[in-house]
Amino acid sequence: AQTVTQSQPEMSVQEAETVTLSCTYDTSENNYYLFWYKQPPSRQMILVIRQEAYKQQNATENRFSVNFQKAAKSFSLKISDSQLGDTAMYFCAFMTARGSSNTGKLIFGQGTTLQVKP
Amino acid sequence: DSGVTQTPKHLITATGQRVTLRCSPRSGDLSVYWYQQSLDQGLQFLIQYYNGEERAKGNILERFSAQQFPDLHSELNLSSLELGDSALYFCASSVDGQPGNTIYFGEGSWLTVV
């Protein structure tokens, strides 16, 4: 069974600085998808970024980028120029790319609470 | 705003009772998912529907049931409620439920069982 591990329960960063959140996963599959979701105090889950395992290029969305290391099964999120609005819990998630019974099932890590300080 | 609508936003009920949570997916999305977020279990996948039919099942208790109607809205029914059922229940949707689809979440329904 696939598992997702976020080893940093809490992190903090000064406004305008860069922070990296770690995520590792365990799977025997070759094709899959990885996601980072943000959950601000409002509790809504917001998609930050997604990565397809068969693509070697790291995904980027504005100030958010990932470092996808497939062999190491690592998927870290880098937030550049941190803003106060980035304060939230961040979840790493895995989705298999095969098996109709697993379609759409996101497996989440435990989350990392990020505090951006002024 | 993700386009996924959930009602009610907050619900307080007593043990042993039954509640229904309602979800309208994003316009055009055929697949609906239910997730539970609790302090001890984290975010857990419960069940997925595609165009009215059950597609995948996760850690959903037998006391819980769900369905997706012809107009694509979905309901999650929770019965014989226990204190441990207190959680944030998310509905989410995607275009066709295929692997790799981006899944968009609603704002969640806070359930408190007292």
Side-chain angles (χ1 to χ4, degrees), chain B residues 45-95:
Chain B
F45 167 73
L46 295 179
I47 198 163
Q48 178 201 5
Y49 283 84
Y50 170 73
N51 205 21
E53 295 195 0
E54 184 182 303
R55 170 71 69 86
K57 214 167 191 176
N59 301 321
I60 187 166
L61 299 172
E62 286 190 7
R63 300 183 286 108
F64 296 179
S65 65
Q67 54 184 326
Q68 186 180 26
F69 295 88
D71 67 353
L72 301 178
H73 91 271
S74 178
E75 293 181 355
L76 178 66
N77 300 296
L78 314 174
S79 61
S80 303
L81 285 167
E82 302 174 359
L83 296 178
D85 297 327
S86 295
L88 181 57
Y89 290 86
F90 283 110
C91 175
S93 72
S94 72
V95 173

Side-chain angles (χ1 to χ4, degrees), chain A residues 4 25 27 29-36 49-55 68 75 92-98 104-107, chain B residues 98-102:
Chain A
V4 178
Y25 57 93
T27 183
E29 299 176 11
N30 193 45
N31 292 324
Y32 46 86
Y33 301 86
L34 295 164
F35 303 83
W36 279 97
I49 202 165
R50 59 172 272 162
Q51 175 79 41
E52 292 143 358
Y54 59 86
K55 289 188 177 179
F68 173 47
F75 183 62
C92 178
F94 172 98
M95 180 192 292
T96 185
R98 70 174 179 87
K105 177 181 177 179
L106 281 168
I107 299 169
Chain B
Q98 292 300 310
N101 273 188
T102 295

Side-chain angles (χ1 to χ4, degrees), chain A residues 37 39 43 50 101 103 106, chain B residues 35 37 48 56 90 97 100 103:
Chain A
Y37 280 86
Q39 187 177 40
R43 287 294 189 172
R50 59 172 272 162
S101 63
T103 301
L106 281 168
Chain B
Y35 287 82
Q37 184 178 27
Q48 178 201 5
F90 283 110
I103 296 178

Side-chain angles (χ1 to χ4, degrees), chain A residues 44 116-117:
Chain A
Q44 181 159 13
V116 179
K117 298 180 178 179

Side-chain angles (χ1 to χ4, degrees), chain A residues 82-96:
Chain A
S82 296
Q83 300 175 0
L84 296 178
D86 295 333
T87 292
M89 180 168 279
Y90 287 81
F91 290 93
C92 178
F94 172 98
M95 180 192 292
T96 185

Side-chain angles (χ1 to χ4, degrees), chain A residues 39-112:
Chain A
Q39 187 177 40
S42 67
R43 287 294 189 172
Q44 181 159 13
M45 296 289 288
I46 302 166
L47 177 67
V48 175
I49 202 165
R50 59 172 272 162
Q51 175 79 41
E52 292 143 358
Y54 59 86
K55 289 188 177 179
Q56 292 187 340
Q57 186 173 5
N58 288 325
T60 299
E61 287 288 342
N62 301 314
R63 298 182 295 108
F64 298 87
S65 61
V66 297
N67 183 6
F68 173 47
Q69 301 289 330
K70 191 172 183 180
K73 297 180 183 176
S74 170
F75 183 62
S76 60
L77 175 69
K78 185 172 83 170
I79 306 174
S80 304
D81 186 25
S82 296
Q83 300 175 0
L84 296 178
D86 295 333
T87 292
M89 180 168 279
Y90 287 81
F91 290 93
C92 178
F94 172 98
M95 180 192 292
T96 185
R98 70 174 179 87
S100 59
S101 63
N102 286 328
T103 301
K105 177 181 177 179
L106 281 168
I107 299 169
F108 286 94
Q110 307 92 315
T112 295

